[in-house]
Amino acid sequence: MYLWVLGPIYLLHIHRHGRGYLRMSPLFKVKMVLGFALMLLCAFNVALPLWKIQQGTPQAPEFLIHPTVWLTTMGFAVFLIHMERKKGVRASGVMFGYWLLCCLLPATSTAQQASRGQNARPHSSAIFVPAEESLPPALSLWPPRWTLGFQSDPLSHLSTYLCLSLVVAQFVLSCLVDWPTFFPKDAQQPNPCPKAGASFPSRAMFWWISGLLWRGYRKPLGPKDFWSLEQGKSSEELVSRLEQEWRRSHRVAQRRTKVSKSKGRRGAEAAETEAAEKEALLQQEGSPRGPLLRAICRVFRSTFLLGTLSLVISDVFRFSVPKLLSLFLEFMDSPEAPAWKGPLLATLMFLAACLQTLFEQHFMYRVKVLQMRLRTAITGLVYRKVLALSSSARKASAVGDVVNLLSVDVPRLTESVLYLNSSWLLLLWICLCFAYLWQVRGRGAGLGRGRSPRDARGSAPLGLGFPSCKVESLPMALGLLREGLGVTRRQRGHKVSVLLGGSDPGTQQNDSKRPFYGKEIVT
């Protein structure tokens, strides 16, 4: 399911963002040989039940369906490996996750069955009877008959162990990086960034930047120590892309709006020349609003969406930790629980906390990169237009407007990117918290009350884990909450006014005494 859902999207992505093709390196050849070997083993697992059916031995349908699904999935995986070579993908995160799941799920099922000590179950015929707590066949790598004894079906066991060994080898190979592209589209940089040649684990854990950190720890860094900027991340490329998308969006918006009637023949020519000069940047009166925002979304939407996906996955792991902790507490209270459940839950809690931190850091990394690119593109677009303005256009617009645009509006726009996801993620967090409270406190979680009958008189604690915080009624709780929010809002307003104005709001200076920075720039 993982590969069939993400595979088509991944194919479309590498088709649109191809970087050339890779040579047939030894790493690629070994991957293809192991992939075809896995396909042969899956084909053997399909042919074996068919042969037994022809011999008159009844077989369960899952013996035939399960290997067939794996045969088609392995064929699709081999096709993805081939397409990655043609499109210049040196390290794939999709295939890394696929081979990791193929290794973890069978290993988990094996440990579960080994801890239970069940080598086989009694059965009257060769038809498989599934175990009670085993993984479903669609999630396991090998055929479900592995719960039978080795002597009863040695071929299936041998094919299963060989499949698992080949999958582990494919996972190890997915941690490596392939050769660079044969004919790269971008020009070679004198000091390229090591991220382009890093493997997927190195990108995920930010290991590719460790060399620069160690170098900075040993000696002060100089201009030669920093890596060259890629062509797609340069200011010239970002400004050109944003201006191109802005012009396209502006033309589309002008086509949809109605053309106003001309006021007279005298001001027609002057209006056309002034509009031609201001078309690339300045917002005219009566012109359609929103083309610049639409252009920004088209240029930077991929980076923002990837950051949003990282934040959502981080929140999933954040809310999975309390659920795993509750299961762990239930395991400690239950003497009849299996022994393997406790270490497994403790390991899952540790991994969930680590993955939450990892995805959260990826979100912050992508957002910070997006902020720098956005500020560079808008600032370059403003400067490009300012340099192209004529003397008549400069008289029409004040210099202070451009200064305020660069010093106030652009930083506010870039800082707002960090908080865009808070508008809908906070609602999701509140819903998940109420769902957890509903499981613990029952119907009383909606009103902040417990489940005991004596709490109906209005002296029940709020269902937030603080028994000492008691209120008389729900309106009193809402009043306290509103008062706390008002104090917080006033404190935030005081801080913002001090940061922006440079003084306390009660002792602000007169606007006439403040220096006008536009005159200094004009000179």
Side-chain angles (χ1 to χ4, degrees):
M1 183 63 69
Y2 167 83
L3 195 63
W4 289 107
V5 171
L6 296 182
I9 303 175
Y10 180 61
L11 277 177
L12 180 62
H13 173 73
I14 63 177
H15 178 72
R16 297 183 60 181
H17 302 85
R19 301 178 181 177
Y21 68 93
L22 305 176
R23 291 174 291 179
M24 296 186 66
S25 61
L27 179 62
F28 171 76
K29 294 177 181 179
V30 174
K31 286 182 179 180
M32 294 298 291
V33 169
L34 295 180
F36 282 115
L38 285 170
M39 292 179 62
L40 290 177
L41 287 176
C42 292
F44 171 76
N45 291 330
V46 174
L48 186 61
L50 295 176
W51 177 76
K52 289 186 176 181
I53 291 175
Q54 289 182 356
Q55 297 296 326
T57 303
Q59 298 290 320
E62 56 191 12
F63 287 171
L64 185 61
I65 297 175
H66 181 262
T68 305
V69 172
W70 272 104
L71 176 61
T72 54
T73 307
M74 288 297 172
F76 186 49
V78 172
F79 176 72
L80 283 178
I81 295 174
H82 175 66
M83 292 301 299
E84 286 176 354
R85 185 188 72 86
K86 292 185 65 177
K87 297 301 179 180
V89 180
R90 302 175 62 184
S92 174
V94 175
M95 299 306 299
F96 177 85
Y98 172 70
W99 297 120
L100 179 61
L101 290 177
C102 290
C103 294
L104 289 181
L105 294 178
T108 305
S109 181
T110 305
Q112 181 180 358
Q113 292 293 334
S115 63
R116 295 175 57 191
Q118 295 182 356
N119 295 326
R121 297 194 61 181
H123 51 86
S124 58
S125 61
I127 300 178
F128 170 73
V129 180
E132 293 179 356
E133 296 181 4
S134 60
L135 292 174
L139 297 179
S140 178
L141 176 65
W142 40 61
R145 74 168 63 83
W146 73 279
T147 51
L148 302 176
F150 180 82
Q151 298 179 356
S152 60
D153 199 354
L155 293 179
S156 299
H157 282 75
L158 289 176
S159 64
T160 293
Y161 300 146
L162 187 56
C163 281
L164 183 59
S165 302
L166 294 178
V167 166
V168 172
Q170 285 279 23
F171 171 70
V172 174
L173 293 178
S174 65
C175 298
L176 305 178
V177 63
D178 211 335
W179 287 352
T181 54
F182 193 57
F183 292 108
K185 296 183 179 180
D186 299 334
Q188 294 291 337
Q189 302 291 338
N191 188 15
C193 180
K195 183 181 178 182
S199 61
F200 178 76
S202 178
R203 292 186 178 185
M205 304 297 295
F206 299 100
W207 292 338
W208 55 272
I209 203 174
S210 58
L212 182 64
L213 296 179
W214 277 108
R215 196 179 309 148
Y217 173 75
R218 294 173 182 175
K219 64 177 183 179
L221 296 176
K224 296 182 179 180
D225 297 328
F226 293 99
W227 306 307
S228 302
L229 196 61
E230 298 180 4
Q231 185 177 2
K233 300 178 181 178
S234 60
S235 59
E236 182 180 1
E237 183 69 19
L238 291 174
V239 174
S240 301
R241 288 175 55 191
L242 182 59
E243 184 178 3
Q244 183 180 1
E245 291 293 337
W246 188 88
R247 290 180 181 274
R248 184 183 305 174
S249 303
H250 191 68
R251 287 194 297 266
V252 172
Q254 283 183 344
R255 292 173 186 173
R256 294 178 180 177
T257 55
K258 297 181 180 179
V259 181
S260 59
K261 298 181 180 180
S262 59
K263 298 182 179 179
R265 296 181 179 179
R266 296 181 179 179
E269 296 180 358
E272 290 178 0
T273 54
E274 186 178 356
E277 293 177 352
K278 296 183 179 181
E279 182 181 3
L281 175 66
L282 300 179
Q283 184 75 25
Q284 304 175 9
E285 297 181 359
S287 59
R289 296 182 178 273
L292 183 59
L293 182 60
R294 192 179 299 111
I296 292 174
C297 294
R298 289 181 179 178
V299 175
F300 303 104
R301 61 185 175 185
S302 59
T303 307
F304 179 76
L305 291 178
L306 288 176
T308 303
L309 180 62
S310 301
L311 183 60
V312 170
I313 297 176
S314 174
D315 291 337
V316 170
F317 286 113
R318 178 184 288 108
F319 283 96
S320 63
V321 172
K323 191 65 177 178
L324 292 173
L325 181 59
S326 64
L327 294 176
F328 186 76
L329 295 177
E330 292 178 2
F331 162 76
M332 296 180 63
D333 294 338
S334 177
E336 299 178 356
W340 57 266
K341 194 173 182 181
L344 178 61
L345 291 175
T347 306
L348 289 178
M349 283 190 294
F350 175 74
L351 292 178
C354 294
L355 291 175
Q356 172 196 344
T357 305
L358 180 63
F359 280 100
E360 189 173 357
Q361 295 304 316
H362 272 279
F363 165 72
M364 294 301 299
Y365 168 74
R366 294 185 182 278
V367 168
K368 293 300 181 182
V369 171
L370 177 60
Q371 287 179 345
M372 288 189 292
R373 293 181 182 179
L374 183 60
R375 185 167 186 171
T376 302
I378 297 179
T379 305
L381 191 62
V382 171
Y383 277 122
R384 181 175 293 186
K385 180 54 190 174
V386 168
L387 294 176
L389 286 177
S390 62
S391 59
S392 60
R394 292 179 182 177
K395 294 179 181 179
S397 58
V399 183
D401 297 340
V402 180
V403 176
N404 292 333
L405 179 63
L406 295 177
S407 61
V408 179
D409 296 338
V410 175
R412 286 181 179 178
L413 179 61
T414 55
E415 291 175 1
S416 63
V417 177
L418 184 61
Y419 306 102
L420 284 178
N421 293 311
S422 302
S423 58
W424 61 276
L425 274 180
L426 290 178
L427 298 177
L428 181 62
W429 292 354
I430 293 173
C431 294
L432 291 176
C433 290
F434 270 105
Y436 283 168
L437 284 175
W438 189 279
Q439 294 179 358
V440 176
R441 306 299 296 261
R443 280 187 249 177
L447 297 176
R449 299 180 179 275
R451 291 180 295 177
S452 58
R454 62 182 180 181
D455 293 338
R457 297 182 179 180
S459 61
L462 293 175
L464 300 176
F466 302 99
S468 60
C469 299
K470 298 183 179 181
V471 293
E472 296 297 333
S473 60
L474 184 60
M476 183 181 294
L478 294 177
L480 293 175
L481 181 60
R482 190 180 299 110
E483 182 180 358
L485 291 176
V487 173
T488 306
R489 191 180 297 110
R490 287 194 297 270
Q491 294 177 353
R492 291 175 58 189
H494 175 74
K495 292 181 180 179
V496 171
S497 60
V498 169
L499 290 175
L500 296 180
S503 60
D504 196 353
T507 60
Q508 287 184 354
Q509 299 176 358
N510 192 6
D511 294 339
S512 59
K513 298 182 181 180
R514 296 180 181 178
F516 182 69
Y517 299 98
K519 296 181 180 180
E520 299 178 1
I521 295 178
V522 172
T523 58

